[in-house]
Amino acid sequence: MKNVIPKGILIPIGGGEDKKESKDILSRVISETGKTNPKICLITLATDVPEKAAEVYNKVFSDLNISKISIIHYTGRKEADHQDNLKKVKECDLILFSGGKQLKLSSLLGGTDLLTLITQRYYDESKFVLAGTSAGASAMSNTMIITGSAPEALIKGSLELTNGLDLINNVTIDTHFTQRGRIGRLIQMVACNPGILGLGLGEDTCVIIKNGMMEVVGSGLVTIIDGDDIDYTDLADIKDGEPITVEGIKVHILGPSKQFLIAERKIKMPD
């Protein structure tokens, strides 16, 4: 599936989405299914407080007149492929990964039949929506950042990376981006592998990814780090703990409603 554009819709959210007032992001997530009362499956594997997450989202979706909500939560990988879980994924129109810890999510879901089913539906079904907030968004990448402080972000060796859920190719997603000053760690990630795009999502901000294009929704900014024109970096020559030098990296900033063409690596200009 690596070279196939998925037919479904991927919606990574930067965390902190408005759940009390306008609820613009979650309303848009619902509308992408094409249904007024879609079946939602909330996957709370990333959080240490699944009951609280379920309570919050049940309230939000009830306010949005959604009545069909199922929950998937388990604590051991052997439970992942239980028929009840597979049935919930088969029958839903929308999956939402809650926030928490992305490593917890990937370690409980990675390599399971449950993830295979989620991925197949995302690739094969045009109105299937796969959304995730905070850690649930970060884990969508094929390679994800699990640690890396903002003050030390441009020091070699300061990032810890691991495999994500591999739902989007050649894009690494970082969340709470503007609020936590994470641009440095995404620059280092892209400098290590200029073939990927770094996608930094501010809070209460998401991108709707479909048909090879991203659209920004929410109240904040999206930052895209593009290493395609990097001329020089000394990453291969310096030791861990030393500061990084990079020349030629590009930064794109997108506000609400702006669109970005992923393959072309450029903002789509208004018609």
Side-chain angles (χ1 to χ4, degrees), residues 102-132:
Q102 54 261 44
L103 183 58
K104 188 173 182 182
L105 174 57
S106 64
S107 62
L108 285 169
L109 190 57
T112 64
D113 291 343
L114 186 64
L115 179 58
T116 298
L117 177 60
I118 292 169
T119 304
Q120 285 176 342
R121 292 203 63 196
Y122 169 53
Y123 271 81
D124 293 344
E125 300 179 33
S126 62
K127 283 296 184 179
F128 183 69
V129 177
L130 189 49

Side-chain angles (χ1 to χ4, degrees), residues 138 141-145 161-164 166 168 171-173 189:
S138 297
S141 309
N142 48 6
T143 302
M144 65 182 184
I145 300 170
L161 311 173
T162 192
N163 293 333
D166 200 15
I168 185 166
V171 175
T172 290
I173 300 168
M189 179 72 186

Side-chain angles (χ1 to χ4, degrees), residues 39-43 68-72 85 88-89 92-97:
K39 294 179 181 179
I40 297 175
C41 180
L42 176 66
I43 297 182
K68 304 169 184 177
I69 302 170
S70 61
I71 311 290
I72 292 179
N85 293 334
K88 289 172 184 177
V89 168
C92 72
D93 304 296
L94 158 64
I95 286 175
L96 175 63
F97 294 117

Side-chain angles (χ1 to χ4, degrees), residues 197-200 214 222-226 250-254 260:
L197 282 174
L199 178 60
M214 303 180 192
V222 169
T223 303
I224 296 176
I225 308 297
D226 182 356
K250 291 193 291 189
V251 180
H252 311 279
I253 308 294
L254 284 74
F260 189 84

Side-chain angles (χ1 to χ4, degrees), residues 156-175:
K156 183 178 179 180
S158 62
L159 295 185
E160 186 176 354
L161 311 173
T162 192
N163 293 333
L165 301 179
D166 200 15
L167 296 167
I168 185 166
N169 299 322
N170 300 318
V171 175
T172 290
I173 300 168
D174 209 353
T175 58

Side-chain angles (χ1 to χ4, degrees), residues 42 44 47-58 71 73 75:
L42 176 66
T44 58
T47 181
D48 293 327
V49 286
E51 296 86 359
K52 179 63 175 176
E55 178 185 348
V56 168
Y57 281 103
N58 268 308
I71 311 290
H73 189 83
T75 55

